[in-house]
């Protein structure tokens, strides 16, 4: 993973990924993805369902193994020495319940652990309360997350990421299932962090309330980057249509390997897996 | 029972040892069990228990070769080693995908028992020698056994409680734990090792075949009522101590096997607790189940204005 440490670019890039390949269950999900996010930028990651957005951010954070490529986070190679305390991640959904109840406080407190910090720091309760407050979940601290609505669970996941006061925030569809006022509050929180210099990578299906913040869009299709540049401003097309299709309007070039790739990256590609 | 009878029971060294053993097991096993249930590995204790039987026989075999007296001096160390190795294998196989983890567990079930029965024969013992390990024989707990149990239980408690939040994190949301740079594999192996040590601690009390019950059933009882992970763990531990002590005391006055008594008692408590749950469960803190929605009003007003 940490093959070359070309620190020439230094920590000016919050995320620097080159040639990222990921193989899951025998099929190649990501094929040579390059993503560079300069510190302080807000980048939207767009693409249809199954295009590999979640897999990409999971790979960037080391949650799924890379079969090729390098990733640097805040200037450090992915690994135990990466500055995990400065990275916050909101996954697409909370894992299915296991039967043992866990309260919002317990789930958010787990966000205070990272890297080598295996125990919550002193004063963790105050920080957890503040994070829950920031997502409008004050008063729900001691409720089991299993009893919460999907949107409330999502807010708890956001709080779990915010509790670290991250410099790099990675959000996987953070506002799906969240009511409009809370979306606005959350976008304000992200805007505040961005104002303090935080970098944000956010997976979205519609820019929605994030639109004013987004500085750049990366569009994935079949596990490849097909657009990297200005966010898709003309929203008229998107407003009425189903959000299954995010087209990169600024980049009309067809993908170079388009026709050969089925949506499931069929068995031909799967054969190449080790 | 009269007071004198209680005093008599408590002054019996055999009963003192047995009670201490029961308390150790009752307190530690459910703590590890809570993590296992959360991790959806409730059957892991069973798999480890079966493998530990091979370890017992292996310890016996080495004891025979080394002319140790008694022959089973090394049975507990053997069980510890086999259980730890087995648990780590289960964990590593699980890491590679859930179906094969299931299969690995099944292989351990059969291989563990078969290996134990084979090796004990080679060691010059009989299947009867294994029975006390399979079903527990708390009355034969020696002082040496007890020291082993105290040391292992202390280790399980210190690590399990010290790393509570980290083990919770990796059991609750492994992907998030990995995306936080936590050493998830080491934490999973730590938990597996704790489970293995617990199995060997509990082995003499409830027996390898029932070991998992004392890890899991108290958790099942606790989670009927507890609304947080921490409380589930504490309640499970308290329940574990209670059923272990009560079960043991019952066997002092009745000629019934302690391990089975404790487990049957725990399951009876579960049945009663589950039956009474609708009536007994603390009411949810009185608040409107719907989050306050002042914004609705605002939106509606804006709509009418449009
Ligand atoms: N564990 C896995 N094993 C095998 N294939 C997987 C696994 N996880 C994801 N995939 C496949 O990888 C592809 C990309 O999935 P991913 O979750 O990254 O999509 P996405 O772009 O986030 O989609 P969505 O918009 O629905 O969230 C999908 O085809 C999916 O089936
Ligand atoms: Mg996704």
């Amino acid at each position: 993973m940490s093959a070359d440490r070309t620190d020439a670019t230094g920590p000016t890039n919050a995320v620097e990924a080159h040639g990222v390949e990921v193989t899951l269950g025998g099929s190649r999900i990501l094929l040579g993805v390059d993503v560079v996010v300069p510190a302080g930028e807000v980048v939207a990651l767009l693409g249809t369902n199954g295009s590999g957005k979640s897999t990409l951010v999971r790979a960037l954070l080391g949650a799924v193994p890379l079969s090729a490529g390098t990733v640097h986070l805040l200037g450090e190679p992915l690994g135990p020495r990466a500055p995990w305390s400065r990275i916050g991640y909101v996954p697409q959904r909370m894992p299915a319940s296991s039967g043992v109840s866990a309260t919002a406080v317990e789930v958010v407190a787990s966000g205070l652990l990272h890297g080598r910090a295996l125990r919550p720091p002193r004063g963790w309760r105050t920080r957890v309360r503040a994070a829950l407050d920031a997502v409008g979940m004050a008063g729900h601290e001691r409720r089991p997350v299993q009893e919460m609505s999907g949107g409330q669970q999502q807010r708890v996941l956001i709080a779990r990421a915010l509790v670290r006061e991250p410099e790099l925030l990675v959000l996987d569809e953070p506002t799906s299932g969240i009511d409009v006022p809370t979306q606005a509050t959350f976008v304000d929180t992200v805007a505040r962090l961005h104002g303090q210099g935080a970098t944000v990578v956010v997976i979205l299906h519609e820019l929605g309330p994030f639109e004013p913040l987004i500085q750049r869009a990366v569009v994935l299709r079949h596990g490849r980057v097909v657009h990297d540049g200005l966010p898709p401003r003309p929203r008229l097309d998107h407003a009425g249509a189903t959000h299954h299709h995010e087209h990169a309007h600024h980049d009309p070039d067809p993908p170079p390997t388009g026709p050969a790739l089925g949506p499931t990256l069929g068995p031909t590609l799967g054969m190449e897996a080790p | 029972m009269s007071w004198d009878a209680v005093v008599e029971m408590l002054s019996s060294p055999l009963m003192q040892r047995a009670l201490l053993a029961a308390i150790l097991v009752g307190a530690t096993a459910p703590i590890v069990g809570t993590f296992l249930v959360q991790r959806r590995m409730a059957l892991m204790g069973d798999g480890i228990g079966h493998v530990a039987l091979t370890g017992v026989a292996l310890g016996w075999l080495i004891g025979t070769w080394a002319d140790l007296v008694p022959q089973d001096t090394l049975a507990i160390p053997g069980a510890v080693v086999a259980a730890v190795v087995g648990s780590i294998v289960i964990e590593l196989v699980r890491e590679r995908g859930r179906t094969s983890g299931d299969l690995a567990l099944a292989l351990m079930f059969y291989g563990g028992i078969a290996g134990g029965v084979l090796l004990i024969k080679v060691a010059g013992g009989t299947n009867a020698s294994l029975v006390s390990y399979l079903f527990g024989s708390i009355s034969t707990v020696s002082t040496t056994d007890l020291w082993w149990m105290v040391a292992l239980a202390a280790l399980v408690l210190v690590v399990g409680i010290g790393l509570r939040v980290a083990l919770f994190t990796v059991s609750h949301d492994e992907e998030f734990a990995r995306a936080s740079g936590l050493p998830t594999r080491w934490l999973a192996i730590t938990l597996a090792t704790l489970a293995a040590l617990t199995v060997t601690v509990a082995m003499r009390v409830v027996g390898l075949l029932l070991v998992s019950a004392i890890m899991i059933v108290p958790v099942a009882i606790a989670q009927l009522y507890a609304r947080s992970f921490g409380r589930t763990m504490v309640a499970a531990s308290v329940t574990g101590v209670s059923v272990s002590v009560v079960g043991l005391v019952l066997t002092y006055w009745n000629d019934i096997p302690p391990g089975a008594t404790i487990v049957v008692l725990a399951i009876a408590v579960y049945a009663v607790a589950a039956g009474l749950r609708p009536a007994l469960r603390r009411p949810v803190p009185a608040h409107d189940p719907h989050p306050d929605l002042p914004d609705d009003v605002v939106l509606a007003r804006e709509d009418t204005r449009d």
Side-chain angles (χ1 to χ4, degrees), chain B residues 174-249:
Chain B
E174 186 160 6
E175 173 174 320
F176 177 78
R178 246 181 282 135
S180 302
L182 290 173
T184 48
R185 171 182 279 184
W186 286 112
L187 288 170
I189 287 179
T190 303
L191 183 58
T193 309
L194 291 184
L197 296 181
T198 309
V199 164
T200 44
V201 169
M203 171 173 81
R204 296 308 293 269
V205 176
V206 285
L208 288 170
L209 286 183
L210 291 175
V211 104
S212 203
I214 197 69
M215 294 168 94
I216 302 304
V217 180
V219 181
I221 297 169
Q223 77 183 13
L224 289 174
Y225 291 90
R227 286 166 59 80
S228 80
F229 184 81
R231 279 162 197 253
T232 304
M233 187 175 268
V234 172
S237 193
V238 170
T239 311
V241 171
S242 314
V243 294
S244 302
V245 169
V246 172
L248 186 65
V249 169

Side-chain angles (χ1 to χ4, degrees), chain A residues 37-61:
Chain A
V37 183
E41 200 173 54
V42 181
V43 176
L45 195 52
L46 310 172
T48 56
N49 290 136
S51 55
K53 306 178 297 295
S54 297
T55 307
L56 176 57
V57 299
R58 287 156 70 208
L60 294 179
L61 296 172

Side-chain angles (χ1 to χ4, degrees), chain A residues 197-236:
Chain A
T199 312
V200 182
V201 176
V202 54
I203 295 179
L204 293 170
H205 281 291
E206 316 175 45
L207 299 188
F210 276 97
E211 181 158 7
L213 283 178
I214 306 292
Q215 295 164 315
R216 200 178 118 208
V218 173
V219 181
L220 284 185
R221 191 180 300 156
H222 300 318
R224 292 178 201 273
V225 176
V226 292
H227 169 84
D228 187 345
L230 287 173
R233 289 293 173 195
R235 295 198 59 235
L236 289 173

Side-chain angles (χ1 to χ4, degrees), chain A residues 63 89 97 106 115 119 142 164, chain B residues 40 162 178 180 229-231:
Chain A
Y89 169 49
S97 152
E106 287 173 322
R119 292 164 61 92
R142 307 184 69 179
R164 285 181 201 160
Chain B
R40 301 161 182 281
R178 246 181 282 135
S180 302
F229 184 81
R231 279 162 197 253

Side-chain angles (χ1 to χ4, degrees), chain A residues 58 61-64 80 84 87 89 91 93-103 106-107 109-111 113-120 139-140 142-147 152 157 160 164 179 181, chain B residues 34 37-40 161-169 171-176 178-183 187 219 223 226-232 281 284-285 287-293 295 299:
Chain A
R58 287 156 70 208
L61 296 172
V64 295
W84 294 108
I87 300 169
Y89 169 49
R93 61 184 67 87
M94 192 172 275
S97 152
S98 63
V100 181
S101 298
T103 61
E106 287 173 322
V107 172
S110 69
L113 305 192
H114 46 76
R116 295 283 156 82
L118 297 182
R119 292 164 61 92
H140 295 266
R142 307 184 69 179
R143 273 185 73 198
V145 289
Q146 288 85 351
E147 291 178 9
Q152 291 172 330
L157 296 187
R160 182 176 66 173
R164 285 181 201 160
D179 58 50
Chain B
T34 311
V37 170
Q38 199 200 18
R39 216 170 148 67
R40 301 161 182 281
I161 293 176
L163 288 180
R164 185 180 73 250
V165 184
L167 293 173
F168 166 81
T169 305
S171 307
H172 173 70
D173 191 343
E174 186 160 6
E175 173 174 320
F176 177 78
R178 246 181 282 135
S180 302
L182 290 173
L187 288 170
V219 181
Q223 77 183 13
R227 286 166 59 80
S228 80
F229 184 81
R231 279 162 197 253
T232 304
R281 187 164 176 172
V284 176
H287 65 67
D288 179 3
H290 310 287
D292 318 22
L293 290 168
D295 316 286
L299 289 176

Side-chain angles (χ1 to χ4, degrees), chain B residues 30-75:
Chain B
I31 288 182
V32 176
T34 311
F35 292 120
L36 292 183
V37 170
Q38 199 200 18
R39 216 170 148 67
R40 301 161 182 281
M41 298 192 73
L43 288 181
M44 184 161 186
D46 288 297
I48 299 172
H50 287 61
V51 176
L53 191 73
T54 298
V56 166
L58 205 58
W60 200 305
L61 185 63
I62 294 173
T64 312
W65 284 342
D67 285 327
L68 295 181
V69 182
Q71 281 178 313
D72 65 345
T73 312
L74 291 179

